[in-house]
């Protein structure tokens, strides 16, 4: 593409100024001709339909309508879909790839804050910070300075489930610390794990030997309740489970039973269902620390997603290779 191609936003309209603040939008518009006032939320809208017929690049985001054959028939010039968020599974059908349309995702950019959240929670959990804060709030007293046995991050074992973008970034962030990470992933072999600098373990062995387990696997039929009653029972007393992936990867009924017994602690940024019902015991159990799906890009971090799209648009304009292309063959086992 030597001239600026026609582009169209397809997402929830309020996301456009958040993901593409003025400086990021200006950079995007250097590569594509796009109107931020025209945002496709419904591809059957007549005005959107007219724009779609001229569109060569679709800039998608949260809330993008489904790209099925009928929509693609209405976009005969479409050559690329640049997604300003993570997974494209909710809207991109296989027909997109069958027609030779390139697909890119900002999933790598969105992985960064999730990994940062995970690192923070690993370090806080190792020092028992969350429970200590609750104890102080309940008792309104402090034991003062003194050695607290059983806590600390020196030599603590951390099990990472899934060598996804986020899982790999977590492993990178753990390197400066005196922790002992390990990995489980059915798609990773010993050689690749060695390149990541960690031992590769079967899931059961990782659960048995980890003080902290953090989940970064995709949600697929095979990973539904990947961590169930049997798996939780393998975790040692006092272990911590962190989930920033998808709520359905963990059997919440089994987890609640372990939390009620006081045997495990859980840090959950995702739940099943999401949001939790008001009567969920996870709100009140002392071993549960629940946050409202905020590990991913929030606030000023959203601009990083728009920046990733602007960079991909520049590559398209100059005939370069997309840095974050989404491969249909790998999509089934991706988040």
């Amino acid at each position: 593409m030597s001239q600026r191609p026609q582009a169209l936003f397809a997402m929830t309209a309020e996301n456009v100024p958040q993901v593409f603040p003025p400086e990021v939008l200006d950079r995007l518009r250097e590569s594509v001709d796009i109107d931020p006032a025209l945002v496709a939320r419904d591809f059957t809208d007549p005005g959107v339909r007219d724009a779609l017929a001229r569109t060569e690049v679709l800039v998608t985001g949260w809330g993008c309508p489904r790209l099925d054959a009928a929509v693609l028939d209405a976009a005969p010039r479409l050559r690329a879909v640049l997604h300003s968020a993570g997974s494209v599974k909710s809207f991109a059908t296989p027909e997109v790839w069958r027609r030779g349309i390139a697909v890119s995702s900002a999933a790598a950019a969105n992985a960064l804050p999730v990994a940062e959240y995970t690192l923070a929670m690993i370090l806080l959990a190792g020092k028992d910070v969350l429970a200590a804060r609750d104890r102080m709030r309940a008792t309104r007293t402090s034991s003062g300075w003194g050695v607290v046995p059983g806590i600390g991050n020196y030599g603590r074992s951390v099990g990472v489930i899934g060598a996804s973008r986020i899982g790999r970034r977590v492993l990178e962030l753990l390197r400066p610390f005196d922790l002992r990470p390990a990995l489980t992933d059915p798609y990773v072999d010993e050689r690749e794990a060695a390149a990541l600098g960690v031992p590769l373990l079967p899931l059961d062995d990782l659960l048995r030997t980890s003080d902290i387990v953090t989940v970064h696997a995709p949600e697929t039929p095979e990973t539904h309740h990947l961590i169930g009653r049997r798996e939780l029972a393998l975790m040692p007393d006092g272990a911590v489970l962190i989930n920033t992936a998808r709520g359905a990867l963990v059997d919440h009924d089994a987890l609640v039973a372990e939390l009620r017994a006081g045997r495990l602690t859980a840090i959950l940024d995702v739940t099943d269902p999401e949001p939790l019902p008001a009567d969920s015991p996870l709100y009140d159990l002392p071993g549960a620390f629940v946050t409202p799906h905020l590990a991913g890009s929030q606030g000023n971090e959203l601009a990083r997603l728009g920046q990733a799209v602007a960079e991909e648009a520049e590559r398209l304009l100059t005939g370069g290779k997309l840095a974050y292309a989404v491969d249909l063959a790998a999509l089934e086992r991706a988040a």
Side-chain angles (χ1 to χ4, degrees):
M1 298 181 182
S2 56
Q3 297 181 341
R4 286 192 309 152
Q6 290 289 319
L8 175 67
F9 282 117
M11 61 182 73
T12 305
E14 55 265 30
N15 285 332
V16 173
Q18 297 184 73
V19 179
F20 296 92
E23 66 279 8
V24 178
L25 180 62
D26 287 346
R27 182 169 179 180
L28 176 65
R29 296 180 82 176
E30 290 176 2
S31 301
V32 297
D33 186 356
I34 194 165
D35 180 2
L38 178 60
V39 183
R41 189 63 184 90
D42 181 355
F43 287 133
T44 64
D45 178 89
V48 169
R49 205 76 170 179
D50 289 344
L52 195 60
R54 303 186 301 272
T55 296
E56 298 168 75
V57 177
L58 201 60
V59 177
T60 61
W62 293 299
C64 176
R66 188 170 175 81
L67 298 178
D68 56 21
V71 171
L72 297 174
D73 285 343
R77 300 180 64 191
L78 186 62
R79 296 293 176 265
V81 175
L82 306 182
H83 189 49
S84 61
S87 176
V88 301
K89 278 187 172 181
S90 64
F91 69 92
T93 65
E95 187 66 21
V96 175
W97 285 270
R98 279 197 285 267
R99 298 191 184 205
I101 297 169
V103 180
S104 171
S105 166
N110 195 49
L112 300 180
V114 182
E116 291 165 357
Y117 172 104
T118 302
L119 172 65
M121 291 303 173
I122 288 170
L123 296 176
L124 291 175
K127 295 285 279 189
D128 197 34
V129 168
L130 306 177
R133 184 256 197 187
D134 286 344
R135 288 191 296 269
M136 287 187 69
R137 170 177 277 184
T139 64
R140 305 286 167 161
T141 61
S142 172
S143 58
W145 186 89
V147 174
V148 180
I151 70 170
N153 287 309
Y154 180 66
R156 192 170 292 274
S157 57
V158 179
V160 176
I161 299 178
S164 59
R165 289 185 182 90
I166 298 168
R168 290 167 188 260
R169 180 59 177 164
V170 168
L171 291 173
E172 290 177 9
L173 294 178
L174 290 174
R175 284 174 189 158
F177 301 94
D178 290 321
L179 295 162
R180 295 186 294 111
L183 172 69
T184 188
D185 189 311
Y187 299 102
V188 172
D189 59 23
E190 294 281 356
R191 183 175 179 180
E192 188 175 2
L196 293 170
V198 291
L200 183 66
L201 300 177
L203 176 60
D204 286 4
D205 290 349
L206 180 133
L207 293 171
R208 289 190 188 99
T209 58
S210 296
D211 300 308
I212 300 171
V213 173
T214 179
V215 183
H216 303 291
E219 181 179 11
T220 66
E222 292 75 25
T223 61
H224 182 76
H225 286 185
L226 177 69
I227 308 299
R229 194 172 305 278
R230 186 190 72 83
E231 290 76 20
L232 291 169
L234 295 174
M235 296 175 66
D237 291 354
V240 180
L241 177 69
I242 301 173
N243 189 11
T244 59
R246 292 290 186 269
L249 271 65
V250 177
D251 181 340
H252 279 47
D253 291 339
L255 179 61
V256 164
E258 292 282 11
L259 295 175
R260 280 183 169 144
R263 207 180 67 78
L264 302 177
T265 298
I267 297 172
L268 307 174
D269 189 54
V270 290
T271 57
D272 183 28
E274 194 172 56
L276 287 172
D279 61 352
S280 171
L282 290 171
Y283 286 119
D284 302 308
L285 284 168
F289 184 84
V290 183
T291 54
H293 205 141
L294 54 75
S297 297
Q298 296 284 340
N300 62 23
E301 296 164 338
L302 294 174
R304 183 192 280 132
L305 306 179
Q307 183 76 7
V309 168
E311 291 169 359
E312 290 285 65
E314 290 169 0
R315 296 181 184 100
L316 277 179
L317 185 65
T318 59
K321 183 179 179 181
L322 292 175
Y324 306 111
V326 179
D327 178 40
L328 178 60
L331 193 62
E332 290 185 0
R333 58 184 178 91

